[in-house]
Amino acid sequence: MPTWPITSIRALLEPTLEHMGYELYAVEQSGQSGRTLRVSIDRVEAITIDDCERVSRIVGPLLDNASLIPGPYDLDVSSPGAERPLRGKDDYARFRGKRVNVRCRPGQTETVGEGQLVAVDGAGIAVQSQGQRGRAQVIVHIGWDDVASGRLAVSI
């Protein structure tokens, strides 16, 4: 499976998508044969199927004209998803007030916590966990150096 120039593809698509009002969230080569280009787009408002179709109609010809991908390929345009990864301080700040799942490594132990993201600042984040069986809710402060990963959590 030949590897595609993802950095060049990203550089090609970012200005156009930004002009259209979208953020280029991720670009990756995938699929069993490696012939699928997955493009994830984002913006403040929720991404709709119409958004994905609109972007696909613009991105396909851009990629074809640039000849960055040799041979046929499938283009998959989507949103980052309901349980999207949080990639940095800006993502955490953007989703303050939302339910999150955070994996942290204070010291040598890895722990996972879930709750409402109640604060984000230069020192780290604060997550308020649900109290169980009459227990009070607890706010856990996690420094940026201890945050291993995070994602939005869907409440069912």
Side-chain angles (χ1 to χ4, degrees), residues 116-140:
Q116 182 179 11
L117 182 60
V118 294
V120 179
D121 61 24
I125 61 175
V127 177
Q128 183 174 355
S129 65
Q130 296 285 16
Q132 296 195 8
R133 297 185 191 165
R135 292 186 182 169
Q137 294 182 346
V138 176
I139 296 179
V140 178

Side-chain angles (χ1 to χ4, degrees), residues 12-88:
L12 172 70
L13 301 181
E14 276 183 327
T16 299
L17 292 176
E18 186 176 305
H19 179 73
M20 294 174 70
Y22 301 103
E23 171 195 350
L24 181 55
Y25 185 83
V27 177
E28 59 188 13
Q29 182 178 357
S30 65
Q32 288 183 349
S33 65
R35 302 298 307 168
T36 300
L37 180 68
R38 293 191 191 278
V39 176
S40 295
I41 57 172
D42 198 18
R43 66 176 179 186
V44 174
E45 301 85 24
I47 296 295
T48 66
I49 291 173
D50 289 341
D51 292 317
C52 294
E53 289 174 358
R54 179 176 177 228
V55 168
S56 182
R57 284 192 303 270
I58 300 298
V59 165
L62 266 177
L63 290 166
D64 294 345
N65 289 335
S67 299
L68 293 173
I69 301 173
Y73 66 95
D74 294 316
L75 176 61
D76 178 11
V77 178
S78 64
S79 74
E83 292 190 339
R84 66 182 306 134
L86 299 172
R87 302 178 303 171

Side-chain angles (χ1 to χ4, degrees), residues 99-118:
R99 188 161 188 74
V100 296
N101 180 293
V102 179
R103 184 175 305 274
C104 56
R105 294 188 186 111
Q108 298 296 325
T109 307
E110 185 170 293
T111 59
V112 177
E114 188 170 307
Q116 182 179 11
L117 182 60
V118 294

